[in-house]
Amino acid sequence: MLSMSLRALIDNERIPKHIAIIMDGNGRWAQEKGQDRLFGHFHGVASVRDIVEGSAELGVKYLTLYAFSTENWDRPEQEVTGLMELLVETIRKEVPILNKNNIRLHVIGELGMLPDHAKNALQEAFDMTAANTGLNLVLALSYSSRWELVNAVKKIAEDVKAEKLDPSAITQDTLQQYLSTSEFPDPELMIRTSGEYRISNFLLYQLAYAELYFTQTRWPDFRKENLYEAILDFQKRERRFGKTSSQIIDGLTNN
Ligand code: IPE
Ligand code: IPE
Ligand code: MG
């Protein structure tokens, strides 16, 4: 038998609405091939393309990709410069494909840290994809969750000081509105590639009830089939949100 795609096994009624991915392992992938780390980042772009396309095909509404963390600024200068070049080049090249596939681009992170040519390329891409209504592709760039939370606390404090916000009226919804992800629902599935079992400052608040999926596959080798495998794993799980299993089963049969 020829290998069958796992796609056929996925329950289309239970596709996660929001998938978040820590795209990790580019450097090791390249070094294992005796190449420079940037070679790995370069090949990681093909995975991004494939996973964006695969997510759009499945009807995923939000895909958040962790592309560069605040802490990644501390990498060797030539790697950081190379990554920024790759980012600008990729965004410029991909905009027509995003439009063709009705994909809207968003970015979360401390964009002020980015070089001007990257800021400009991103702004252009936001403007050119703003009317698209299919997949929302969220790039986490110069992003860290602690930065985001500190930022939210500052803005809340300013609004309280300006008497726009009453501290006693602050709820979980209020806090959510001050995060850079205020427009997006929380991720239901979080994938990390390359065999690391950590969150690395990614969406700490938003991942409260996400299902976590870890794979040994390095990011440059990650393709649609790997995504299907993660979604199938997700679909086998029982999400209880603090309740008991029988409450969840009763809830399903009473619907
Ligand atoms: C992920 O791959 C991409 C970025 C962090 C920009 P890495 O560059 O972290 O690759 P490894 O983890 O060192 O193999
Ligand atoms: C997390 O990967 C950030 C991105 C994938 C963009 P890192 O490779 O930077 O994380 P650590 O250092 O292994 O925790
Ligand atoms: Mg890494």
Side-chain angles (χ1 to χ4, degrees):
M1 191 179 96
L2 283 167
S3 69
M4 191 190 76
S5 171
L6 295 170
R7 172 68 187 89
L9 302 175
I10 293 177
D11 176 353
N12 293 325
E13 302 302 310
R14 289 167 53 241
I15 305 276
K17 204 174 273 147
H18 185 171
I19 300 177
I21 306 182
I22 301 178
M23 309 185 288
D24 196 18
N26 295 351
R28 278 164 288 164
W29 183 89
Q31 283 165 335
E32 282 154 10
K33 294 181 155 45
Q35 301 279 349
D36 184 79
R37 295 177 54 84
L38 278 172
F39 180 77
H41 298 314
F42 181 77
H43 280 270
V45 174
S47 302
V48 172
R49 212 174 276 135
D50 202 54
I51 296 312
V52 169
E53 187 182 271
S55 301
E57 285 165 359
L58 287 168
V60 172
K61 285 303 292 178
Y62 300 88
L63 175 67
T64 299
L65 299 177
Y66 202 6
F68 193 85
S69 73
T70 307
E71 288 76 19
N72 290 148
W73 287 113
D74 295 331
R75 290 194 177 188
E77 196 189 318
Q78 72 115 13
E79 182 170 344
V80 171
T81 313
L83 273 166
M84 291 301 140
E85 292 302 325
L86 186 62
L87 170 75
V88 174
E89 193 189 306
T90 306
I91 296 215
R92 291 242 153 88
K93 232 192 270 168
E94 296 301 311
V95 165
I97 301 162
L98 296 179
N99 279 332
K100 201 183 114 224
N101 295 309
N102 198 21
I103 298 168
R104 179 169 178 190
L105 184 74
H106 308 260
V107 172
I108 55 171
E110 203 175 352
L111 297 188
M113 301 272 290
L114 295 172
D116 284 341
H117 66 304
K119 270 185 266 186
N120 298 340
L122 284 168
Q123 192 56 53
E124 247 175 70
F126 300 149
D127 296 344
M128 290 173 77
T129 64
N132 295 340
T133 55
L135 174 70
N136 288 283
L137 172 60
V138 185
L139 277 189
L141 253 188
S142 187
Y143 173 88
S144 88
S145 198
R146 288 184 173 178
W147 161 82
E148 175 181 50
L149 290 168
V150 168
N151 219 32
V153 169
K154 275 190 198 157
K155 285 190 276 175
I156 289 173
E158 279 164 15
D159 283 354
V160 166
K161 199 172 159 199
E163 296 185 352
K164 283 191 232 159
L165 186 65
D166 173 4
S168 67
I170 294 174
T171 63
Q172 293 189 14
D173 285 340
T174 319
L175 179 50
Q176 142 80 14
Q177 283 156 26
Y178 282 84
L179 298 175
S180 55
T181 52
S182 59
E183 302 169 65
F184 320 127
D186 288 343
E188 294 170 81
L189 171 62
M190 196 289 285
I191 299 171
R192 183 170 189 152
T193 60
S194 92
E196 305 299 347
Y197 301 88
R198 55 178 172 262
I199 304 291
S200 301
N201 220 345
F202 186 44
L203 304 174
L204 299 178
Y205 184 82
Q206 298 87 337
L207 292 176
Y209 269 103
E211 295 298 327
L212 308 182
Y213 179 86
F214 297 95
T215 171
Q216 296 297 318
T217 306
R218 308 263 193 244
W219 179 251
D221 288 329
F222 197 85
R223 288 294 183 278
K224 285 180 194 176
E225 277 311 296
N226 305 88
L227 176 69
Y228 300 155
E229 210 175 345
I231 293 174
L232 282 171
D233 195 276
F234 168 86
Q235 291 189 336
K236 281 196 213 107
R237 303 186 192 184
E238 180 180 62
R239 305 188 72 206
R240 288 192 286 276
F241 301 98
K243 296 186 178 165
T244 66
S245 186
S246 47
Q247 282 178 296
I248 302 298
I249 293 160
D250 290 349
L252 289 175
T253 49
N254 289 342
N255 273 331

